[in-house]
Amino acid sequence: MSILIGIVPLILIILIIASVIGIKKGNEESVERGNEMIKTVYVYLILFATLMMTIGGTVAAFMAVADIVAPPGYYQSFEQYKMQPQYKGEIPTPANPTQTLSDAELKEQYDRIVNDERSLTKQRALNSLIKSFGWIIVPLPIFLFFQRKVKQPV
């Protein structure tokens, strides 16, 4: 994609130089053809850019929908959760510095953390979906407008 970003300005510079050379020759017909060529290239560049934006937005929207339907993520197992030093069943409190939690209480905390992580992932995917629709909705009318400017061959 970065190569494309570098090529587009290069093509525009070459076209501008070619049209300037045509203008200096003084040939009126050549100038008109050069201007028409620049307009045509401009329209096609706009079509290409807006089409790529729309395709990118569509792919991102599809990925966001996939994340909503089946949220990705690694959830450690309950056994791994229990073995972490801060969750070994010992929660210090001012009254009882060595209070221990039962496996049922630890399992409840673990399930709550997993559910919170899933809902957070779904919320992020929904946010991404809304942003992706922006990449579809904004360039699509521009694409359709410039597509009508392209002359259809007879």
Side-chain angles (χ1 to χ4, degrees):
M1 189 67 170
S2 63
I3 295 173
L4 182 65
I5 293 172
I7 291 175
V8 171
L10 183 63
I11 291 172
L12 287 175
I13 290 170
I14 290 171
L15 290 174
I16 290 170
I17 291 171
S19 66
V20 167
I21 291 172
I23 291 172
K24 287 192 176 188
K25 286 185 179 178
N27 188 352
E28 190 67 33
E29 183 179 310
S30 156
V31 171
E32 192 171 314
R33 279 189 305 181
N35 288 340
E36 188 63 33
M37 180 178 69
I38 289 173
K39 288 178 186 176
T40 303
V41 169
Y42 174 76
V43 167
Y44 279 111
L45 283 174
I46 295 295
L47 285 171
F48 177 74
T50 54
L51 181 63
M52 289 298 108
M53 291 167 68
T54 304
I55 290 172
T58 304
V59 169
F62 179 78
M63 290 171 43
V65 168
D67 286 347
I68 291 172
V69 171
Y74 167 72
Y75 304 108
Q76 63 186 4
S77 69
F78 177 65
E79 287 75 26
Q80 291 171 332
Y81 178 78
K82 267 186 4 181
M83 297 309 293
Q84 291 181 4
Q86 68 267 27
Y87 300 116
K88 279 194 170 183
E90 299 176 4
I91 298 179
T93 62
N96 187 2
T98 59
Q99 177 184 4
T100 58
L101 294 176
S102 68
D103 278 352
E105 291 171 326
L106 280 175
K107 180 69 172 156
E108 183 181 317
Q109 283 182 354
Y110 170 76
D111 290 339
R112 187 175 56 244
I113 289 171
V114 169
N115 288 335
D116 289 348
E117 182 66 28
R118 281 188 184 138
S119 66
L120 183 62
T121 302
K122 285 184 179 183
Q123 187 62 36
R124 286 183 185 145
L126 184 61
N127 188 12
S128 176
L129 180 64
I130 293 168
K131 290 176 185 177
S132 299
F133 281 141
W135 281 98
I136 297 169
I137 293 170
V138 171
L140 188 60
I142 298 169
F143 177 81
L144 295 174
F145 175 77
F146 277 93
Q147 188 180 23
R148 291 182 182 171
K149 290 188 174 271
V150 175
K151 296 177 183 172
Q152 299 296 327
V154 178

